[in-house]
Amino acid sequence: MIANLRAEQLSAFTEQLSLYGISVDDVEGQRLENANGGPIVLDTSGGPSAVQPKILTTTDLDEMRRWLNPAGDARAAMTRTVSTPFPYAAAAAEDAGEEYARLTAAAYDYIFHGAGFAAASPNDPGLKSAIEAAFGEMNLAVFAGETIVVRPGQPLIISGAVPVALNYAEMDIYTGGQVLIYAPGVMTIQVLKKLS
């Protein structure tokens, strides 16, 4: 049993993990903290990382949307402009021009603002297919566990070019602890504790 979760939180955590083919049993007891000091780095692109992510791959934009925006809502907190939410796509190497920029922005809008995407592109029914063709295989790095502990001088750093889904039952952040996110994606924590 995952510690400190009420029944509804455990249900939500179980449902969230199932989107990525992970069970609660897979993550039970997994505690992420740096007992030796220094940052806790979670890298999505295969670089040095405290733990390696589970990499999911799809060519279906709808599946990527389910992974990154399972509630299907427009996440107002994520409306900042991201120049390349999928910088690893093969199309980037071929054409970083205006069309690629348009498809990148459209992919971001589709994933995080489904209704807005439909309203913005009623005259372009082939846009979703064009996005999928331009990006080909899209990857998602999934980090999941029971607890993350963030202390002063030991920031949690999430970085890399591959979008990330971070799912933990609990995050303990001590006063002065920092979470620095340099990768596009979502973070789902069931219980967030600020400790001194």
Side-chain angles (χ1 to χ4, degrees):
M1 177 74 158
I2 300 287
N4 301 321
L5 291 187
R6 296 187 314 265
E8 66 272 11
Q9 291 169 321
L10 181 59
S11 176
F13 187 54
T14 302
E15 184 178 331
Q16 187 76 30
L17 291 176
S18 71
L19 287 172
Y20 312 114
I22 300 171
S23 74
V24 170
D25 291 339
D26 294 335
V27 301
E28 189 169 4
Q30 291 186 15
R31 184 176 176 91
L32 183 57
E33 69 179 306
N34 191 342
N36 299 323
I40 300 170
V41 177
L42 300 178
D43 186 82
T44 68
S45 301
S49 188
V51 295
Q52 291 303 309
K54 176 177 183 176
I55 300 293
L56 303 178
T57 302
T58 186
T59 57
D60 181 358
L61 197 58
D62 287 319
E63 186 167 38
M64 183 64 89
R65 181 175 178 197
R66 279 189 298 276
W67 291 339
L68 286 170
N69 190 5
D73 57 353
R75 296 177 183 255
M78 301 189 76
T79 57
R80 65 186 177 87
T81 302
V82 175
S83 59
T84 54
F86 304 102
Y88 55 84
E94 295 174 22
D95 180 16
E98 186 176 316
E99 179 63 6
Y100 178 74
R102 182 179 85 88
L103 292 174
T104 299
Y108 187 81
D109 285 345
Y110 186 82
I111 289 169
F112 293 108
H113 310 285
F117 176 87
S121 58
N123 299 323
D124 195 352
L127 185 56
K128 180 179 173 281
S129 296
I131 293 167
E132 291 172 336
F135 293 116
E137 287 190 346
M138 297 171 278
N139 293 326
L140 178 71
V142 180
F143 294 98
E146 187 169 344
T147 307
I148 295 180
V149 179
V150 181
R151 299 179 188 279
Q154 301 173 350
L156 171 62
I157 301 172
I158 303 167
S159 62
V162 175
V164 64
L166 181 82
N167 292 277
Y168 275 78
E170 181 179 311
M171 179 182 281
D172 299 339
I173 301 180
Y174 285 80
T175 301
Q178 297 176 306
V179 178
L180 306 170
I181 302 172
Y182 302 107
V186 294
M187 179 168 65
T188 305
I189 306 295
Q190 297 301 318
V191 176
L192 180 62
K193 292 181 181 177
K194 183 177 179 187
L195 305 170
S196 53

